[in-house]
């Protein structure tokens, strides 16, 4: 995951996938170590010990290969496989083809010549998990209940039985008044419209009226009978599309889709004298530079006389990727469930934006007595999303510690990749209850020329404006949480962030 996720178009090229992880049971782990030590001590004896088991496995594989040609995959089974793949909304038809082949192979492996629903179930668990991903936050795997529902929904419908002609009803026999049977009637004492059958008295009487619908529960009365405890970690809201956030100025970093940069590709913006090797000649600018000197160079015929100082290189401008470092307040002031859900949803939106623009991301959290580098800078936004979803909240607010750790992290990353410019995103309400004032740490970041954005999470009618003060000290853009997605009358974030001037 640290190397970045494969695109869905490439994942679809893999036929089957198996999720592999080390066992957590001590007994199994010890057995693995035991066998490895035995092999290191005597490889020949270890191979001989398991030779019979390997021979049995090889014979079973050979038998399955021979039986495979006789496995029947009829049309109803194919339609059921197609129904399962369609239920999981996979792209293309590779999944259907692979699932069909795998189901037939599994049937041969089990010694059968007909494909059953068990074969389809096993094939789907191997062929579909990696094809379900639509964005970097989708976890691989299949929901067993969803798979069972898809198998049941795609089951072939049974053939309807032929309709039978209704038998003629006998003529009713007149009954004596007040009697229902030969002995004067068992129902003589039963009021009309009621019955006392095996199921008990009917519900038409006043004593057996249907239950009235429950009245709506008032939250002020406390938890209702069916309410459950609230989970300590707030679930993030769904990510939403953003307008582009940019680092001000023009960089020279790794090609991407975020900030302006001088690149080998992109649109032409001008020409300049080359520094070092000439990579791309700007012909028009070169001719204009040489033209005024033709007389003094002794030109007498067609063509121009050029010297090296006339050469002009093409300057192009494209987009670069950046390092987006999140500094997230995880203290008690952010612990309100709905509020933290909104904050996590906002950060997920920024993570999705970073994935689409090919950025590296990192995350720092601060709470309690200090700050923690929860995720070192990486290209895997999936790892960042997982850390964010499980982020607990509580404790005091050491905002200064979070900013100091951000400064140290950015300084370390600059040594590793000096051309990648950072964008610092501070997610906070501006409060600090531990570690002192954050002004010194914010000034340190501003002096280093770090482009920053403060996402103001302050809520309620009474606002202290501490996040605005922090943004001023950082030289950063202040953005309220509600305006992150740029909906409605929200400002143009690209233009706003470009207006920020880094202080050298």
């Amino acid at each position: 995951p640290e190397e970045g996720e494969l695109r869905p178009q490439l994942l679809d090229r893999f036929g089957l996938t198996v999720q592999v992880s080390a066992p957590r049971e001590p007994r199994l782990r010890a057995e693995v170590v035991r066998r490895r030590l035995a092999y290191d001590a005597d490889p020949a004896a270890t191979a001989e010990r398991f030779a019979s088991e390997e021979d049995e496995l090889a014979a079973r594989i050979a038998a399955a290969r021979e039986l495979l040609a006789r496995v029947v995959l009829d049309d109803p089974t194919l339609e059921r496989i197609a129904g399962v793949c369609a239920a999981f909304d996979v792209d293309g038809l590779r999944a259907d083809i692979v699932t069909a082949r795998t189901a037939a192979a599994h049937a041969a492996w089990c010694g059968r010549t007909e494909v059953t629903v068990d074969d389809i179930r096993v094939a789907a668990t191997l062929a579909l998990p990696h094809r379900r991903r639509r964005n970097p936050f989708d976890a691989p795997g299949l929901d067993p209940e969803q798979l069972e529902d898809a198998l049941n929904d795609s089951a072939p419908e049974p053939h309807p039985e032929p309709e039978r002609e209704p038998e003629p009803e006998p003529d009713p026999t007149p009954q004596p008044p007040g009697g229902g049977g030969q002995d004067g009637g068992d129902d003589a004492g039963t009021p009309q419209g009621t019955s006392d059958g095996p199921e008990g008295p009917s519900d038409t009487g006043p004593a057996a009226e249907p239950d009235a619908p429950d009245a709506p529960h008032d939250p002020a009365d406390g938890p209702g009978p069916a309410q459950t405890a609230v989970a300590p970690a707030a679930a993030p809201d769904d990510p939403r599309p953003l307008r582009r956030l940019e680092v001000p100025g023009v960089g020279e970093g790794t090609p991407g889709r975020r900030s302006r940069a001088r690149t080998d590709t992109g649109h032409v913006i001008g020409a300049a004298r080359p520094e070092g090797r000439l990579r791309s000649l700007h012909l028009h600018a070169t001719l204009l530079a040489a033209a005024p000197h033709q007389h003094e160079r002794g030109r007498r015929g067609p063509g121009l006389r050029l010297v090296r100082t006339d050469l002009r290189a093409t300057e192009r401008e494209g987009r670069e990727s950046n390092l987006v470092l999140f500094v997230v307040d995880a203290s008690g002031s952010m612990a309100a469930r709905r509020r933290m859900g909104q904050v996590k949803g906002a950060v997920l939106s920024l993570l999705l934006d970073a994935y689409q623009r090919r950025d590296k991301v990192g995350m720092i959290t601060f709470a309690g007595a200090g700050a923690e580098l929860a995720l070192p800078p990486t290209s895997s936004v999936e790892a960042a999303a997982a850390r964010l979803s499980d982020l607990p909240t509580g404790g005091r607010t050491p905002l200064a510690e979070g900013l100091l750790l951000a400064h140290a992290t950015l300084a370390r990353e600059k040594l590793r990749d000096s051309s990648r410019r950072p964008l610092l995103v501070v997610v906070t309400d501006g409060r600090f209850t531990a570690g002192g004032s954050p002004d010194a740490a914010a000034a340190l970041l501003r002096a280093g020329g770090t482009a920053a954005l403060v996402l103001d999470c302050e809520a309620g009618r009474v606002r202290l404006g501490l996040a605005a003060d922090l943004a001023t000290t950082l030289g950063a853009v202040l953005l309220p949480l509600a305006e992150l997605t740029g909906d409605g009358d929200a400002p143009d974030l690209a233009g706003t962030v470009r207006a920020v001037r880094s202080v050298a």
Side-chain angles (χ1 to χ4, degrees):
E2 290 76 13
E3 298 296 332
E5 297 299 326
L6 294 177
R7 293 180 290 123
Q9 296 90 334
L10 292 179
L11 287 174
D12 191 37
R13 301 279 181 169
F14 290 91
L16 308 177
T17 58
V18 178
Q19 188 73 21
V20 179
S21 59
R24 293 292 178 261
E25 186 178 347
R27 182 182 61 83
L28 293 178
R29 298 173 70 95
E31 179 62 20
V32 173
V33 176
R34 189 178 299 113
R35 294 189 183 188
R36 177 66 202 193
L37 294 177
Y39 179 83
D40 292 340
D42 192 345
T46 304
E48 184 178 357
R49 174 187 172 189
F50 296 100
S52 60
E53 296 180 14
E54 292 187 352
D55 291 341
E56 293 177 2
L57 181 61
R60 186 177 179 185
I61 293 174
R65 286 178 173 174
E66 183 178 354
L67 184 61
L68 181 60
R70 302 198 301 272
V71 173
V72 177
L73 194 62
D74 54 19
D75 289 343
T77 303
L78 281 176
E79 292 179 2
R80 194 167 192 178
I81 291 173
V84 171
C85 295
F88 282 95
D89 197 25
V90 295
D91 295 330
L93 295 174
R94 282 195 181 94
D96 304 59
I97 297 172
V98 171
T99 305
R101 291 174 174 170
T102 306
H106 188 265
W109 171 256
C110 296
R112 289 183 270 102
T113 57
E114 292 184 0
V115 175
T116 66
V117 65
D118 292 333
D119 301 321
I120 300 176
R121 183 182 294 107
V122 171
T125 57
L126 296 173
L128 298 183
H130 61 291
R131 290 184 165 91
R132 295 184 59 245
R133 307 193 64 178
R134 291 295 182 271
N135 61 63
F137 306 142
D138 292 339
L142 289 184
D143 183 0
E145 295 183 1
Q146 185 181 359
L147 177 58
E148 293 303 320
D149 292 341
L151 288 170
N152 294 332
D153 294 342
S154 60
E157 297 181 359
H159 296 290
E161 297 182 358
E163 297 183 359
R164 298 179 180 179
E165 296 183 0
E167 299 180 358
E169 297 182 359
D171 295 333
T173 304
Q175 299 290 337
Q182 296 179 355
D183 57 353
D186 295 335
D187 300 334
T190 304
Q192 185 177 0
T194 65
S195 64
D196 263 338
E199 300 298 327
S202 68
D203 55 359
T204 57
E209 292 183 356
D211 294 338
D214 295 337
H217 177 70
D218 188 354
D221 297 335
Q227 290 179 340
T228 57
V230 177
D237 292 353
D238 294 334
R240 305 176 64 185
L242 303 176
R243 301 181 185 180
R244 181 170 55 226
L245 302 173
E246 295 185 11
V247 177
V250 181
E252 297 180 350
T254 304
R257 297 178 180 177
R258 182 172 298 280
S259 304
R260 298 169 55 202
R262 296 183 183 91
T263 61
D264 294 335
T265 59
H267 61 279
V268 178
I269 61 172
R273 290 186 176 181
E275 297 181 0
R277 181 182 177 185
L278 177 64
R279 297 183 178 272
S280 178
L281 177 68
H282 195 296
L283 181 60
H284 184 238
T286 300
L287 296 179
L288 289 178
H293 308 288
Q294 297 305 299
H295 181 71
E296 62 187 64
R297 293 176 184 173
R299 177 194 172 197
R300 296 294 182 266
L304 295 178
R305 292 192 173 185
L306 302 178
V307 296
R308 182 169 181 79
T309 55
D310 298 331
L311 299 179
R312 296 293 183 268
T314 302
E315 288 189 334
R316 298 179 181 272
E317 184 175 293
R319 295 282 174 181
E320 67 175 358
S321 63
N322 300 109
L323 167 60
V324 182
L325 181 62
F326 296 93
V327 181
V328 183
D329 184 355
S331 64
S333 62
M334 304 288 289
R337 185 174 185 271
R338 179 58 186 162
R339 185 181 180 191
M340 197 60 195
Q342 292 175 341
V343 170
K344 290 183 177 182
V347 178
L348 281 179
S349 300
L350 291 167
L351 285 172
L352 181 59
D353 181 71
Y355 169 78
Q356 294 169 342
R357 303 192 186 282
R358 304 175 186 174
D359 294 321
K360 292 181 69 175
V361 295
M363 186 166 63
I364 293 172
T365 61
F366 58 93
E372 176 188 4
L373 182 60
L375 181 71
T378 175
S379 298
S380 175
V381 297
E382 181 187 29
R387 300 289 177 88
L388 181 69
S389 298
D390 299 334
L391 178 65
T393 56
R396 307 183 72 182
T397 313
L399 177 56
E401 296 294 331
L403 296 179
L404 287 174
L405 182 56
H407 178 267
T409 302
L410 293 177
R412 185 166 57 250
E413 288 300 312
K414 189 174 182 61
L415 295 176
R416 296 177 179 175
D417 188 357
S418 60
S419 63
R420 189 183 295 270
R421 297 186 297 162
L423 174 61
L424 181 67
V425 180
V426 185
V427 185
T428 180
D429 57 6
R431 298 182 183 183
F432 54 93
T433 57
S437 171
D439 290 347
L444 190 63
L445 285 165
R446 181 172 183 172
T450 303
L453 168 71
V454 175
L455 188 59
D456 186 3
C457 302
E458 189 174 20
R461 296 182 179 180
V462 179
R463 297 177 180 268
L464 302 178
L466 298 177
D469 296 339
L470 176 64
T472 301
T473 308
L474 272 174
V477 172
L478 177 68
L479 186 65
L481 179 63
E483 297 181 0
L484 177 64
T485 57
D487 296 335
D489 299 330
D492 183 352
L493 301 186
T496 303
V497 180
R498 279 198 298 266
V500 178
R501 293 293 179 266
S502 299
V503 179

